[in-house]
Amino acid sequence: MKWNSVKNYRQMSRYGAERLFSVIADRLSAGKTANIGLATGNTMIKLYAILAGMLNHAGIDLTGLSTFNLDEYVDDNGNNLDYRHPLSYRQYMTENFFDLIDPATGFRQENMVFPDAENPSAFDALITRRGGLDIQLLGIGFNGHIGFNEPISAEEITAEDFARLPSRIVELDALTLKTNARLTAGDQIDTVPRRAVTMGMDSILKAKEVILLACFTEQAEPLRRIRSGQTTPELPASFLLKHQTTEIVYTEDKIKL
Ligand code: F6R
């Protein structure tokens, strides 16, 4: 695992966009496909604006690009949250990234993939069929979650079983509901769906490369716990310690380790 500190949000966003761009450009210009795992959240907003600009200027044909989003909320009927719901992650991605990409690049709507609450295992199968993720972009929850793989007591699950968790529907942790209500729903906790469909630990840990970005003071604590070196289901991001090509990038202005 590689640790990398940058000055601030702007530098983190540029660094992350450049990493993703270089994986996409290297693979597509070599005549291969590019499979990129993406995250939503406040951490990523500027990164997507920069990345879209880079892709538009590069003049690369993006028909071979597929994106696989980590997660989506699930509504009371057990379906992916409607696109028009203000908290929909598909809506977030459309507004912050997909709509910013010039249609002339050839990036295809059917290659913008999300896990499907009706059939979560199909998501893992599709990632495998397409050859696996070339890079996975991650944020980190204040409780150490990655995607919506929430902490589980080490008494309830072994590390081996946790690392193999497939894509699935999960109940969101109380801290996640509270944080997401505060940061994305004007503190209205009832607006935040209680469940989500998430990419599992297995698909995340199989990505060829992982880049995790952190830029909020509350993320210092889970990062310090990763640094302590112990892998535990109580801190899902600690499983990245076992992933050889993970880079953690954090901003020095907000995070002191
Ligand atoms: C989002 C996701 C989450 C977030 C994490 C940090 O798709 O999977 O794990 O990356 O909750 O969110 P922000 O960036 O809003 O602090």
Side-chain angles (χ1 to χ4, degrees), residues 39-44 70-71 89 138-142 145-148 180 183 216 219:
T40 58
N42 290 312
T43 308
M44 308 302 170
L70 281 168
D71 37 30
Y89 283 170
L138 295 176
I140 181 167
F142 298 169
H145 72 209
I146 48 177
F148 277 136
N180 291 5
L183 297 178
F216 294 108
Q219 292 164 335

Side-chain angles (χ1 to χ4, degrees), residues 236-255:
S238 66
F239 280 76
L240 297 170
L241 288 161
K242 295 182 181 295
H243 188 276
Q244 297 302 311
T245 46
T246 286
E247 180 175 10
I248 296 189
V249 182
Y250 63 95
T251 57
E252 286 163 2
D253 62 346
K254 294 281 160 56
I255 298 181

Side-chain angles (χ1 to χ4, degrees), residues 29-256:
S29 56
K32 299 177 184 157
T33 56
N35 297 328
I36 308 297
L38 296 179
T40 58
N42 290 312
T43 308
M44 308 302 170
I45 291 175
K46 191 162 183 62
L47 178 156
Y48 286 134
I50 297 172
L51 179 59
M54 293 171 108
L55 292 170
N56 289 340
H57 280 106
I60 315 166
D61 174 6
L62 298 183
T63 45
L65 172 65
S66 296
T67 57
F68 294 87
N69 261 87
L70 281 168
D71 37 30
E72 180 57 283
Y73 288 114
V74 170
D75 68 18
D76 291 341
N77 301 318
N79 299 314
N80 283 34
L81 197 62
D82 190 274
Y83 172 83
R84 289 157 300 187
H85 189 288
L87 299 185
S88 154
Y89 283 170
R90 190 180 274 277
Q91 185 192 118
Y92 165 107
M93 288 306 299
T94 304
E95 285 176 359
N96 290 296
F97 187 48
F98 301 149
D99 271 0
L100 308 187
I101 298 178
D102 186 343
T105 58
F107 186 31
R108 294 186 177 145
Q109 176 119 26
E110 67 266 28
N111 287 341
M112 306 167 189
V113 187
F114 282 73
D116 180 1
E118 280 186 40
N119 190 359
S121 59
F123 186 63
D124 293 325
L126 182 65
I127 292 172
T128 306
R129 222 167 39 243
R130 297 260 179 108
L133 296 169
D134 299 306
I135 187 165
Q136 174 65 56
L137 176 66
L138 295 176
I140 181 167
F142 298 169
N143 62 1
H145 72 209
I146 48 177
F148 277 136
N149 293 281
E150 300 284 28
I152 301 180
S153 158
E155 287 171 9
E156 282 173 41
I157 189 164
T158 64
E160 292 68 33
D161 287 348
F162 191 81
R164 276 192 232 108
L165 283 172
S167 296
R168 67 205 183 285
I169 294 180
V170 292
E171 300 283 330
L172 295 173
D173 198 81
L175 182 60
T176 301
L177 293 172
K178 203 171 145 207
T179 306
N180 291 5
R182 178 162 64 86
L183 297 178
T184 63
D187 246 339
Q188 301 295 305
I189 199 147
D190 291 338
T191 318
V192 183
R194 299 283 187 270
R195 293 186 303 160
V197 56
T198 185
M199 185 188 291
M201 293 300 293
D202 189 55
S203 282
I204 294 175
L205 295 173
K206 280 185 181 147
K208 294 183 191 105
E209 268 182 65
V210 170
I211 178 165
L212 184 150
L213 306 182
C215 57
F216 294 108
T217 46
E218 293 92 334
Q219 292 164 335
E221 209 253 313
L223 290 189
R224 280 190 214 109
R225 287 171 65 204
I226 298 174
R227 272 214 164 170
S228 76
Q230 197 205 345
T231 299
T232 163
E234 299 183 3
L235 186 72
S238 66
F239 280 76
L240 297 170
L241 288 161
K242 295 182 181 295
H243 188 276
Q244 297 302 311
T245 46
T246 286
E247 180 175 10
I248 296 189
V249 182
Y250 63 95
T251 57
E252 286 163 2
D253 62 346
K254 294 281 160 56
I255 298 181
K256 316 275 177 226

